[in-house]
Each structure stands twice: as C-alpha cells, then as structure tokens.
Amino acid sequence: MSGKLYRGQAGLPFSSSLRVYEPLEAFPPEQQRQLVAEGSKAGSRAAVENAELQASLGRITRSGGDPFPTGRTDLVRMTRVPIGRHAAPATEEDDAGRVLYCPSQLVIRAGLAANALMDGVHSPLADLLIPVSQRDKHQMRIDRINAREDAKRVHTRASTWGIPFSWFSLFAESDRKDVVESEGRILTVRVWTPLTEALERARFSVAHLALAAPDLDMLDDLTQLTEWLELFHAQSMVELDYGAVADKVYPDDSPMDVRLGIECLAEGDMTGAAAAYRRLASRWIPIRQLARAS
C-alpha cells in the first residue's frame, strides 16, 4: 500500500466509515457521466484514500477561513461484483464483474458534519472555527447540489474514535473481509455484504430489540440505519471500513457479539446479553477514551 499519509495518519482521530456502493443505473444520467469520468482517473483504492486525506488537510490549512470542500471535484470509490448473483466484491486486479460506485459527496457530508458540530456541546468553539459567513457560503453549494441531484442518498456514514455497535449488526462472521497491511501494520479492514443481507439483518435486530429492549439507544440507531439502507438500489453492496482503528482491534468479533447480544435479549437471557456487552465494551471503550486523551 503506497502513500505515507494513508499509511500513517499519525495524530489524526481514528475514523471509520459505512458505505453503500450502487450500480450506475441507480444515479441520475448527469451524475452517471461524472461517476464514470471520475472513476476512470481515480486510480487504486489507496490513491483515493490518500487524495481524500490530503484534501481534508489542505482545507484545514488554507487561507481565507473556509474549511469546506468546494465541490469542483468529487472522489469516487469503486468495486466490482460478479454479474448475476450476490457475491463479495472482486479484487482490484479482477476486471470481471459489475462495477458499483460510491461517490464521496464531500460537500453534503461536510455540511451535515458542520450542522452536527453546531448543535453539539462544542457549538461555542464551532462558532470560532467555522465563521457564519463560511457556513452561509457552503449552504449555497449544498443548495446547488440539491437542485440538480438526488441528494437524499448520502452514501457514506462516518464515525470517529470507534465504530457504532449498530453498524456491526449489518454484518456476519462469514462476510468477506479485506485486510490491508503494510510494514507489519494493519492499515484497515473492510467487510462487505450485499445490501439485501444487511437490510435483513437490520430488520431482524430492530424487530427483536423493539420487543425485548425498546428503551435501548441502539434500537433508534438501527431504525435509522434501516431507513437509510432502504433508500438504495437492491443490487448495492455495503462496506464497513474500519480505518486505522483496525490495527488496535483486529481480529474483531464485534459482529458476532452484537448478534449474540440481541439474540440473548430476545430469549430473555440477561446473563448472555451482559456477557456479550462486556466483550464489546472491553474492546471499544478504550478506543473511545482516546478521544479525551491529551
């Protein structure tokens, strides 16, 4: 894996992503042309990751006080799946199969992240970091995108300092895993599953938690995840990209622990559910505590 930025990410928060890759026909005609054009020059997956990271660091340090992406270009991730059946993505070297696309949608995602920051506990700090004039300017970019594209389908969800437990409910131990390593270090782990499988697992979890633990925060998270997945084409693929946190937790049994915990709750086995949660907590609470480390 080439690219020192992607390999190191020293000093940056652990960032993980949940992505949906759709077939070309799921996009409006104008966006189809853009995806094909951007995808043809995107290069390897490592090149895309490096380009996204370099662009984000460049926005932080550029003059003028505007940290937002301009939208003049947008990165595109691609994968291939065998035609005619649900299967794991092909390797980058395998040219056979159907191409699926995941646009970065940085303009929209940056707007959503800024709104979340403004509504959070750090809103006074956000006022200093993101001037009102720059937020208004960025809203104009978002409005232009909304006017010409189907912006409802935001293909990427991101999380820093750990992976939400609800995400793990979409995956199973048997799903394909791509372990990306360099110089004895795990750069990331990517887990793949067909969207139909992810939806079935999400609905299973929602149904059981609604009966067994209706006050659990995870039920709200899973309900939102289900509604989000239902927006996408049935022949899509879902990817969980651990990011740099993989080097701290892999091999990871979190999908199994989440599934067992939900099943135990549904069966009234509180001891089993508590054991599953303890395994998850012992794995992920130390990661989340790093967010408050000096």
Side-chain angles (χ1 to χ4, degrees), residues 1 139 235:
M1 181 66 65
Q139 185 60 50
Q235 294 182 12

Side-chain angles (χ1 to χ4, degrees), residues 81-128:
V81 295
I83 297 173
R85 60 190 177 96
H86 291 303
T91 63
E92 288 185 355
E93 292 77 15
D94 186 356
D95 290 333
R98 189 182 200 196
V99 181
L100 304 180
Y101 297 85
C102 178
S104 290
Q105 299 170 292
L106 291 176
V107 170
I108 292 176
R109 288 170 50 211
L112 293 173
N115 290 339
L117 184 62
M118 297 305 301
D119 293 338
V121 295
H122 300 298
S123 56
L125 178 61
D127 278 327
L128 297 176

Side-chain angles (χ1 to χ4, degrees), residues 10-77:
L12 298 176
F14 289 137
S15 179
S16 306
S17 298
L18 186 66
R19 301 187 180 98
V20 177
Y21 290 70
E22 289 193 285
L24 196 60
E25 63 265 27
F27 299 91
E30 180 182 350
Q31 193 177 6
Q32 289 183 24
R33 292 188 289 272
Q34 293 172 348
L35 289 170
V36 172
E38 293 296 330
S40 65
K41 61 184 180 183
S44 68
R45 179 65 184 265
V48 175
E49 305 297 346
N50 271 313
E52 187 167 275
L53 181 57
Q54 287 177 322
S56 66
L57 294 175
R59 290 193 298 273
I60 293 173
T61 58
R62 72 187 177 196
S63 60
D66 184 0
F68 292 104
T70 63
R72 284 192 290 267
T73 60
D74 196 23
L75 296 169
V76 178
R77 291 172 176 82

Side-chain angles (χ1 to χ4, degrees), residues 111-291:
L112 293 173
N115 290 339
L117 184 62
M118 297 305 301
D119 293 338
V121 295
H122 300 298
S123 56
L125 178 61
D127 278 327
L128 297 176
L129 294 176
I130 313 175
V132 174
S133 61
Q134 299 300 343
R135 294 201 300 271
D136 291 343
K137 182 179 178 181
H138 190 68
Q139 185 60 50
M140 294 174 62
R141 298 182 187 125
I142 294 174
D143 292 342
R144 285 196 297 269
I145 290 177
N146 288 341
R148 68 176 187 266
E149 294 181 6
D150 180 5
K152 290 183 179 180
R153 301 198 316 279
V154 179
H155 289 70
T156 302
R157 293 190 166 207
S159 176
T160 54
W161 299 116
I163 298 175
F165 293 165
S166 58
W167 291 10
F168 292 119
S169 68
L170 307 181
F171 300 90
E173 306 90 279
S174 58
D175 289 335
R176 170 173 170 168
K177 299 176 182 66
D178 293 334
V179 181
V180 184
E181 299 179 87
S182 177
E183 300 176 1
R185 178 180 179 181
I186 299 177
L187 302 181
T188 189
V189 173
R190 302 187 186 110
V191 190
W192 296 86
T193 196
L195 181 132
T196 51
E197 294 285 343
L199 261 177
E200 182 178 337
R201 294 164 183 165
R203 288 166 177 160
F204 170 88
S205 299
V206 167
H208 282 78
L209 287 180
L211 291 174
D215 297 328
L216 203 64
D217 289 342
M218 187 176 170
L219 176 58
D220 292 334
D221 294 342
L222 275 167
T223 300
Q224 293 176 20
L225 267 183
T226 303
E227 294 171 349
W228 176 63
L229 291 173
E230 287 172 343
L231 296 173
F232 296 96
H233 195 284
Q235 294 182 12
S236 301
M237 295 290 295
V238 184
E239 174 197 72
L240 172 58
D241 188 344
Y242 277 66
V245 75
D247 196 53
K248 301 292 185 183
V249 301
Y250 193 78
D252 180 33
D253 293 326
S254 295
M256 179 180 67
D257 288 333
V258 168
R259 175 177 55 82
L260 291 175
I262 292 173
E263 290 177 350
C264 287
L265 284 174
E267 295 168 0
D269 179 5
M270 297 299 108
T271 301
Y277 177 77
R278 282 196 299 271
R279 291 192 296 271
L280 286 164
S282 66
R283 192 178 302 128
W284 290 103
I285 286 179
I287 299 297
R288 292 170 180 169
Q289 288 175 336
L290 291 175

